Amino acid sequence: MTESPSARLLAMFHEAGIPFDSVEDAWRRAEHLSPLLGWLTASFPGEEAFRTCSEWLRLCASRIDGGEPAAALFAQARGNAPRQAHVAAGKLVDLRNECILARRPAAAAFADASNHLCEVWAAVTTHEEDGDTEPWGRAKAAAVAMVTAWLYQQDLKEEDKQARSLARVELTRLLREARASVRPDQS
């Protein structure tokens, strides 16, 4: 039997020496973006998980120049057209490449983060999961890319550990805010 997203999230924190009483406790107090984002992607195809990721990308896009197109493409992944999520994921790769060529590193990293999340959604909703679309690994890659986008936006060095840590905490706060807006009755 496959471990549930909740059990895995709590085990990850416990193994890191950060025990939480429950998933809700982790969501309230954790300062680590990747495990919370992993819990969401592992909860796909849940509607709430998708809406939370979409809202998080929207919130991040309001703070990162050039992020809006990637957030909008991710939101389109839930459309009704055949293989819509795969189409959106492909367009996110194209957008990332366009941003790289245009020397817009923050927007490129943002599109990369969005693509990681979209690839998982596409695989899960079409039952095409494989090692390349493993939710926890892709969530970690998305978190790293979004932290990089955040740093580039602020003209900070990618290698600055303190800046990366502060960015991760702020992005986690935005993820919590996104989740609360999607679940207003449970905030």
Side-chain angles (χ1 to χ4, degrees):
M1 182 172 184
T2 306
E3 186 177 37
S4 75
S6 295
R8 182 159 179 189
L9 176 71
L10 293 175
M12 288 172 73
F13 280 122
H14 182 75
E15 289 168 10
I18 312 169
F20 290 108
D21 296 332
S22 65
V23 168
E24 290 308 315
D25 185 35
W27 271 98
R28 267 190 307 279
R29 300 187 304 122
E31 293 184 352
H32 297 82
L33 178 60
S34 178
L36 297 176
L37 203 52
W39 182 85
L40 284 170
T41 58
S43 298
F44 286 169
E47 175 76 16
E48 185 178 300
F50 182 89
R51 288 179 42 226
T52 299
C53 286
S54 189
E55 177 63 11
W56 179 64
L57 291 172
R58 189 191 69 74
L59 290 172
C60 292
S62 71
R63 291 157 175 85
I64 297 173
D65 292 338
E68 293 87 358
L73 281 170
F74 178 83
Q76 292 172 17
R78 207 177 65 193
N80 293 326
R83 301 188 64 77
Q84 178 64 36
H86 291 281
V87 170
K91 287 181 178 181
L92 282 164
V93 170
D94 293 343
L95 177 61
R96 180 197 65 208
N97 293 341
E98 289 170 16
C99 292
I100 289 169
L101 292 173
R103 298 189 194 309
R104 295 177 23 229
F110 190 103
D112 192 40
S114 302
N115 174 260
H116 286 296
L117 300 175
C118 196
E119 289 284 353
V120 176
W121 177 259
V124 168
T125 57
T126 58
H127 307 288
E128 297 173 14
E129 301 100 321
D130 60 21
D132 289 337
T133 57
E134 194 277 321
W136 297 90
R138 279 297 185 112
K140 184 175 184 177
V144 168
M146 191 61 80
V147 166
T148 300
W150 193 267
L151 295 174
Y152 284 154
Q153 176 62 37
Q154 298 175 35
D155 291 324
L156 297 171
K157 298 286 185 214
E158 213 178 327
E159 303 80 23
D160 184 335
K161 288 183 180 183
Q162 183 178 4
R164 287 191 82 75
S165 179
L166 292 172
R168 188 185 69 240
V169 169
E170 181 59 18
L171 289 165
T172 302
R173 185 192 67 73
L174 289 175
L175 186 60
R176 266 194 211 86
E177 186 179 319
R179 186 170 185 246
S181 75
V182 167
R183 330 170 56 212
D185 58 321
Q186 298 178 19
S187 307

